[in-house]
Amino acid sequence: MSKQTKSLVFNMLGFLILFIAFRFIVATYTGFTSWQIPLAAFVVATILAPKFQVVKTSEGEKLFMKWLFIKGVKEIK
């Protein structure tokens, strides 16, 4: 699997896990109805999900992750 594909899969998995979790949390603990529940979960998951990106360097392609809860950018090996 290429690093670009890994980046896409990691981004989707990170968002999906947070979206599903926050959808249930928002539905349970707020008074939101119908379309407001997935919209609120989408916004929160988009902000809190880790971001993965492939960068081409002189050593080849490298996969990096940036997350709100971790200072700086981390390389994924």
Side-chain angles (χ1 to χ4, degrees):
M1 183 181 316
S2 72
K3 299 223 184 223
Q4 195 75 17
T5 306
K6 282 184 184 179
S7 171
L8 180 64
V9 169
F10 289 161
N11 280 324
M12 291 293 290
L13 283 175
F15 175 80
L16 184 64
I17 290 167
L18 289 174
F19 177 77
I20 291 170
F22 281 111
R23 184 177 167 100
F24 287 115
I25 291 169
V26 168
T28 303
Y29 295 110
T30 66
F32 291 166
T33 59
S34 68
W35 60 271
Q36 295 170 336
I37 296 169
L39 180 64
F42 171 78
V43 170
V44 173
T46 300
I47 293 169
L48 296 181
K51 312 308 189 261
F52 294 89
Q53 184 175 6
V54 174
V55 177
K56 292 183 181 178
T57 64
S58 59
E59 300 170 2
E61 291 186 338
K62 291 188 176 184
L63 182 61
F64 292 96
M65 176 189 77
K66 183 177 180 184
W67 197 20
L68 182 66
F69 302 112
I70 297 177
K71 186 176 182 179
V73 178
K74 304 292 181 188
E75 182 181 352
I76 308 296
K77 297 187 179 192

